[in-house]
Amino acid sequence: MAEIGGGCCPPMDLMRSEPMQLVQVIVPMESAHLTVSYLGDLGLVQFKGLNSDKSPFQRTYAAQIKRCGEMARKLRFFKDQMSKAGVSPKEFLGKDVDIDFDDVEVKLGELEAELSEINANNDKLQRSYNELMEYKLVLEKAGEFFASAHRSATAQQSEIESQQQVGEDALEAPLLQEEKSVDPTKQVKLGFLTGLVPREKSMVFERILFRATRGNIFIRQSVIEESVVDPNSGEKAEKNVFVVFYSGERAKSKILKICEAFGANRYPFSEELSKQAQMMTEVTGRLAELKTTISAGLDHRKILLETIGDKFEQWNLKVRKEKAIYHTLNMLSLDVTKKCLVGEGWSPVFATPEIQKALQRAAVDSNSQVGSIFQVLRTKEMPPTFFRTNKFTTAFQEIVDAYGVAKYQEANPTVFTIVTFPFLFAVMFGDWGHGICLLIATMYLVLREKKLSSQKLGDIMEMAFGGRYVILMMSLFSIYTGLIYNEFFSIPFPLFAPSAYECRDASCSEATTIGLIKTRDTYPFGVDPVWHGTRSELPFLNSLKMKMSILLGVAQMNLGIIMSFCNAKFFKSAVNIWFQFVPQMIFLNCLFGYLSALIIIKWCTGSQADLYHVMIYMFLSPMEDLGENQLFPHQKTVQLTFLFLALISVPWMLLPKPFILKKQHEARHQGQSYAQLGETDESLQVETNGGPHGHEEFEFSEIFVHQLIHTIEFVLGAVSNTASYLRLWALSLAHSELSSVFYEKVLLMAWGFNNFLILIVGILVFIFATVGVLLVMETLSAFLHALRLHWVEYQNKFYEGDGYKFAPFTFTLLGNEDE
């Protein structure tokens, strides 16, 4: 493995990916399962798929995967049933799952059959119960119809009889007496149907019945006040009880079809009052029996689900683990003798002893007569990238990986991002009061991380918890920059010493620097508090923050170019060093590095020179005398030198590199039929610096166009990226002004009313505005801008990010995965 060249780069374990190797493992069939299991516990091997020419159903362990899938289905069924019953699975804290896979399969089958039978019985009983409840309502409501009709008929009959009696007393004999005889064959016998219909369909139901029978029906409906459970759907619904009177079988057939179409449940009913009372008694008794039976069934079901819940996590983990093992075994190729499996994969070099130890342990534990064979393969494939991180650096690494994973052995920006990211955030969020609020919220996540890591949090809370150490660093740097800006919720405090200025006379109350005189030593740390609240505050802080943004931007872009030098030196690419790093460094520092030096000189000397004029006329009129804008001797000569170097650095980047690459390609392949044998070192020899010169074909025009684009991109990017760092100044000013507005226009204004209620309202509005706008929206805004400065302005100087992450086979995250 090539060693890191030079002393400019951090050690290997911080800057570069772990050295990787392509390994081959030959495992006997009898120990294959246990071997893969031990390697999954180790989590340091990323297997390659060697059976891509076979469909998933043609692979060796397809049947075992199907078994695992069926068992996973049963576990999902159990989980759904426990969720509905309010039973929580018992947490499984064991590290090893010492249960037999076949026993688990049998047990799951038995439990599924038992639970399904209980559910089917409960559903049947519940349906019967719901039907009887509807039947009871029909008996009550329809009974009221018939009872009312009977009372009305009795009263009418009594009235008729009384009238006849009165008539007989008044007249001894009628003047005319007609003998009316009724033919029994011509009497019309009415039938009736009873049931329930959904209330929202009742009007349409009645209208359709009337039209279908041409008005030859009589229907009565009664509203049920409470919702009832429908026996068919099992859902609550509002219904009406109906009684339909009809004449003839034809009308009955139509009514039955309409009832079926409207989902109306029909129930038998007797018009005799004695039978109605008997039916009501029977239904009430059966309801009581069913209720007791259903309650006992639910208790038994809950006991069974609690029994399942005690072992659910253990079974679930076992099934997931077995499924992962068989998926991995299907990635291995079957030897022609069908007695062993051959696997290939990537692993870190440092993991070799641990892998070999796991292979030996698997052979012993499986009682295999033949041990596994482990060997390192030579390859020119690009290995995966693996950085060893901890709980502090993981979030910073994920920020970088979101832009792109570093290719193998490429310089890792995370090393510097740990400091530069929270610092640039703090430059925009500088207020030590807001920083303390952010710190308190973050300390809650940090101090309770063990408890919170085992809980399921919401999406936003999960994101905040994952980045808790990033937010912690952001809050600490915000407190630091807030002390420099001397802002505590936009209020200045003389924390380190009294102000160096005092009022000379009463005109100082107008808050202009004309009325201030310096009476003490300069304020030792940060901005003097007297500058806050003066009319000169805005231009002073504007100038300070704007120039500081330029200094920080140029410094970080220089760091990016230095990182490109580290990459070039590590990969031993002299072409990139002399025709990329050197001209880029010259171009950037002869222009913007020079501007940064002028800013520092102006601060140190107190000069009134106009830096805008100096930089503009450095290009427009380089021979013009500087006059009062001269900051140091021989400045004109220095500017001409820098301008000349910046101009020649552009063709320096553009022209030589394509011709040199072409010459190297021709020298490498001219007259050579065979390539020279490399070193015998078993470590990887990988072409990682890219470029077409590593291939047989070399397109000069393509290389030249690529270099032209790269040169133009860098030249224009040097200007635009420097200007982009002014967002540090803009967001810092916006944060300060918003904080000042909330303080002056909300809190102080409420205080000025001398009213307790208004003061309470003002304090609440101030708190909610501070939390909602400054601590949430401004935090997110500053975070995104800091992210952009790292991804675009900084990382594009050296970072390609076209690699792929090391994804080893491991059981560590199986418990957190969703099926």
Side-chain angles (χ1 to χ4, degrees):
M1 176 62 60
E3 296 293 328
I4 296 179
C8 66
C9 299
M12 170 83 76
D13 57 345
L14 293 177
M15 177 67 77
R16 307 289 176 181
S17 166
E18 288 291 336
M20 305 296 290
Q21 58 188 0
L22 182 64
V23 300
Q24 184 183 63
V25 181
I26 303 176
V27 187
M29 292 290 291
E30 61 269 17
S31 64
H33 182 277
L34 201 58
T35 299
V36 173
S37 177
Y38 286 170
L39 292 178
D41 292 330
L42 191 61
L44 289 173
V45 179
Q46 176 179 332
F47 287 97
K48 296 173 62 178
L50 302 180
N51 295 314
S52 57
D53 56 330
K54 296 181 181 179
S55 69
F57 303 102
Q58 295 175 330
R59 297 179 184 180
T60 309
Y61 295 93
Q64 287 81 352
I65 292 178
K66 185 178 180 180
R67 285 176 58 197
C68 293
E70 180 64 17
M71 294 170 68
R73 182 197 61 77
K74 295 174 182 177
L75 289 170
R76 290 196 300 271
F77 169 68
F78 294 153
K79 186 176 182 180
D80 181 62
Q81 294 294 309
M82 287 189 291
S83 177
K84 291 179 180 179
V87 178
S88 300
K90 185 178 179 181
E91 186 176 357
F92 177 63
L93 301 176
K95 294 183 179 179
D96 297 324
V97 185
D98 296 328
I99 52 177
D100 186 73
F101 184 66
D102 294 331
D103 292 343
V104 173
E105 184 179 22
V106 173
K107 187 67 175 177
L108 292 181
E110 294 173 351
L111 290 172
E112 184 192 29
E114 183 178 359
L115 185 57
S116 298
E117 184 179 358
I118 293 175
N119 287 341
N121 292 334
N122 284 342
D123 291 343
K124 186 177 180 180
L125 292 172
Q126 190 66 47
R127 180 185 176 89
S128 299
Y129 182 82
N130 294 334
E131 287 178 347
L132 288 175
M133 283 296 298
E134 285 195 345
Y135 193 14
K136 183 179 179 181
L137 292 172
V138 169
L139 290 174
E140 291 175 353
K141 298 295 183 179
E144 292 177 3
F145 295 154
F146 282 86
S148 176
H150 186 269
R151 288 192 298 269
S152 177
T154 304
Q156 190 175 10
Q157 181 66 29
S158 299
E159 183 180 354
I160 292 173
E161 290 178 356
S162 63
Q163 289 177 357
Q164 288 178 353
Q165 185 66 34
V166 171
E168 291 176 357
D169 294 340
L171 300 174
E172 294 181 358
L175 297 177
L176 295 173
Q177 184 171 0
E178 298 181 2
E179 294 292 336
K180 296 183 179 179
S181 61
V182 179
D183 187 0
T185 60
K186 295 182 179 180
Q187 290 182 355
V188 178
K189 184 173 178 63
L190 295 178
F192 63 91
L193 294 172
T194 58
L196 292 95
V197 65
R199 189 173 303 169
E200 68 272 9
K201 300 178 181 179
S202 60
M203 296 300 295
V204 181
F205 175 68
E206 185 173 342
R207 191 178 301 116
I208 294 296
L209 283 174
F210 187 82
R211 291 179 179 176
T213 59
R214 298 183 179 180
N216 293 318
I217 61 156
F218 178 73
I219 183 169
R220 291 288 303 274
Q221 295 195 47
S222 178
V223 177
I224 300 176
E225 290 77 10
E226 297 181 357
S227 300
V228 295
V229 180
D230 187 83
N232 298 318
S233 65
E235 298 178 355
K236 284 190 173 184
E238 295 180 342
K239 293 189 175 185
N240 291 352
V241 174
F242 66 88
V243 180
V244 181
F245 296 89
Y246 62 89
S247 174
E249 291 298 323
R250 187 175 180 183
K252 180 181 179 181
S253 176
K254 291 181 179 180
I255 294 170
L256 291 176
K257 291 180 180 179
I258 293 172
C259 288
E260 184 178 355
F262 277 83
N265 299 327
R266 295 175 292 101
Y267 296 94
F269 187 82
S270 175
E271 56 183 314
E272 297 181 13
L273 296 179
S274 58
K275 289 187 177 180
Q276 292 178 17
Q278 182 183 356
M279 293 168 65
M280 177 65 75
T281 303
E282 291 178 359
V283 168
T284 304
R286 289 178 61 188
L287 280 172
E289 293 175 359
L290 282 175
K291 188 173 183 180
T292 303
T293 307
I294 290 173
S295 178
L298 291 176
D299 291 340
H300 178 56
R301 180 174 177 269
K302 187 173 183 180
I303 293 173
L304 179 62
L305 290 175
E306 288 176 348
T307 303
I308 294 173
D310 292 339
K311 296 287 187 180
F312 179 82
E313 292 296 338
Q314 184 177 356
W315 291 338
N316 189 37
L317 185 60
K318 179 67 176 179
V319 171
R320 289 175 183 267
K321 184 176 180 180
E322 290 294 319
K323 190 174 183 180
I325 289 173
Y326 287 121
H327 268 299
T328 303
L329 286 171
N330 269 343
M331 299 173 69
L332 278 59
S333 64
L334 186 65
D335 188 73
V336 291
T337 62
K338 295 187 178 181
K339 293 183 179 181
C340 63
L341 293 172
V342 180
E344 294 181 5
W346 298 101
S347 73
V349 173
F350 71 83
T352 299
E354 298 179 52
I355 296 173
Q356 292 175 335
K357 189 181 299 183
L359 295 176
Q360 294 172 1
R361 186 160 62 96
V364 173
D365 293 347
S366 62
N367 297 321
S368 175
Q369 297 180 354
V370 180
S372 300
I373 300 175
F374 175 86
Q375 58 184 350
V376 179
L377 304 178
R378 294 177 60 84
T379 182
K380 287 189 176 183
E381 292 183 48
M382 177 68 69
T385 302
F386 175 46
F387 297 109
R388 279 190 281 184
T389 58
N390 52 38
K391 63 181 181 180
F392 178 78
T393 59
T394 296
F396 291 98
Q397 186 65 55
E398 289 179 353
I399 289 175
V400 174
D401 290 345
Y403 174 84
V405 179
K407 68 180 181 181
Y408 182 63
Q409 295 294 294
E410 185 180 13
N412 184 17
T414 307
V415 178
F416 301 102
T417 301
I418 293 174
V419 176
T420 59
F421 185 86
F423 179 70
L424 292 186
F425 168 88
V427 171
M428 296 178 277
F429 195 77
D431 188 301
W432 62 280
H434 297 150
I436 290 174
C437 294
L438 206 59
L439 178 63
I440 293 173
T442 310
M443 290 305 298
Y444 170 80
L445 300 177
V446 173
L447 295 177
R448 296 175 62 88
E449 63 181 10
K450 288 186 178 179
K451 183 177 181 180
L452 294 175
S453 61
S454 60
Q455 298 178 354
K456 290 186 177 180
L457 308 174
D459 292 339
I460 297 178
M461 191 64 179
E462 188 74 34
M463 190 182 304
F465 179 74
R468 61 193 179 278
Y469 288 104
V470 177
I471 304 175
L472 176 65
M473 294 290 288
M474 286 158 47
S475 63
L476 293 175
F477 276 98
S478 297
I479 295 173
Y480 171 72
T481 55
L483 291 173
I484 291 179
Y485 296 158
N486 200 348
E487 290 187 357
F488 178 83
F489 296 99
S490 78
I491 307 170
F493 287 96
L495 292 176
F496 302 101
S499 173
Y501 298 89
E502 289 185 357
C503 292
R504 182 172 57 193
D505 50 34
S507 63
C508 186
S509 61
E510 295 294 328
T512 62
T513 52
I514 298 175
L516 296 175
I517 57 173
K518 187 174 182 180
T519 59
R520 301 182 186 89
D521 293 336
T522 303
Y523 193 69
F525 183 82
V527 176
D528 195 305
V530 77
W531 291 105
H532 290 265
T534 66
R535 286 204 296 267
S536 60
E537 172 199 0
L538 189 61
F540 172 77
L541 290 181
N542 260 344
S543 176
L544 173 67
K545 294 178 179 180
M546 181 179 65
K547 293 174 181 176
M548 185 174 64
S549 300
I550 295 174
L551 293 177
L552 293 174
V554 173
Q556 191 175 36
M557 287 191 292
N558 271 288
L559 177 61
I561 298 177
I562 292 174
M563 292 282 282
S564 72
F565 169 73
C566 288
N567 273 337
K569 194 167 184 180
F570 179 84
F571 295 125
K572 299 179 179 179
S573 175
V575 175
N576 285 338
I577 292 176
W578 290 106
F579 302 102
Q580 180 173 313
F581 165 74
V582 173
Q584 286 181 355
M585 185 66 75
I586 291 174
F587 182 84
L588 181 65
N589 288 288
C590 285
L591 300 181
F592 301 104
Y594 175 60
L595 174 60
S596 301
L598 292 180
I599 291 173
I600 296 174
I601 293 173
K602 183 177 179 179
W603 281 348
C604 295
T605 60
S607 172
Q608 299 297 318
D610 186 356
L611 298 186
Y612 299 105
H613 184 277
V614 173
M615 293 303 298
I616 290 173
Y617 284 93
M618 177 179 172
F619 294 92
L620 297 181
S621 301
M623 305 304 295
E624 181 180 317
D625 187 58
L626 294 173
E628 61 182 9
N629 291 323
Q630 183 166 335
L631 285 90
F632 57 89
H634 308 292
Q635 181 178 347
K636 182 178 178 180
T637 304
V638 171
Q639 289 185 180
L640 289 172
T641 304
F642 284 168
L643 182 61
F644 174 74
L645 291 175
L647 291 176
I648 65 170
S649 64
V650 175
W652 189 352
M653 280 186 282
L654 173 62
L655 298 176
K657 185 175 178 179
F659 292 97
I660 293 176
L661 292 178
K662 182 181 180 181
K663 184 177 180 181
Q664 289 179 348
H665 177 80
E666 292 174 351
R668 189 163 48 244
H669 297 285
Q670 186 175 6
Q672 295 183 4
S673 300
Y674 299 94
Q676 185 177 358
L677 290 175
E679 299 176 2
T680 58
D681 186 7
E682 289 185 347
S683 59
L684 294 176
Q685 301 292 334
V686 184
E687 290 288 342
T688 54
N689 60 334
H693 55 278
H695 304 280
E696 291 299 323
E697 297 182 0
F698 185 88
E699 293 289 341
F700 177 79
S701 59
E702 182 180 344
I703 294 297
F704 188 83
V705 170
H706 175 78
Q707 191 64 22
L708 176 63
I709 294 173
H710 180 76
T711 302
I712 295 174
E713 182 182 17
F714 179 81
V715 172
L716 297 181
V719 180
S720 63
N721 293 349
T722 305
S724 187
Y725 276 94
L726 293 177
R727 69 185 67 240
L728 297 173
W729 155 57
L731 266 76
S732 174
L733 182 62
H735 183 84
S736 177
E737 289 300 307
L738 275 175
S739 180
S740 178
V741 166
F742 291 148
Y743 174 69
E744 295 176 0
K745 302 301 181 183
V746 177
L747 196 59
L748 292 185
M749 186 177 293
W751 183 273
F753 281 95
N754 292 324
N755 185 295
F756 180 74
L757 182 60
I758 295 178
L759 179 60
I760 294 298
V761 173
I763 292 174
L764 291 176
V765 172
F766 176 76
I767 291 174
F768 282 109
T770 299
V771 174
V773 177
L774 297 177
L775 294 182
V776 177
M777 293 179 62
E778 282 287 303
T779 299
L780 181 60
S781 175
F783 180 91
L784 293 176
H785 283 282
L787 198 64
R788 183 240 156 77
L789 289 176
H790 280 78
W791 282 358
V792 179
E793 279 71 26
Y794 168 54
Q795 291 180 187
N796 71 351
K797 300 293 186 298
F798 67 96
Y799 189 61
E800 294 185 16
D802 55 354
Y804 63 102
K805 191 179 294 186
F806 177 58
F809 170 62
T810 178
F811 298 137
T812 304
L813 302 177
L814 281 181
N816 298 327
E817 293 179 353
D818 293 329
E819 188 69 30

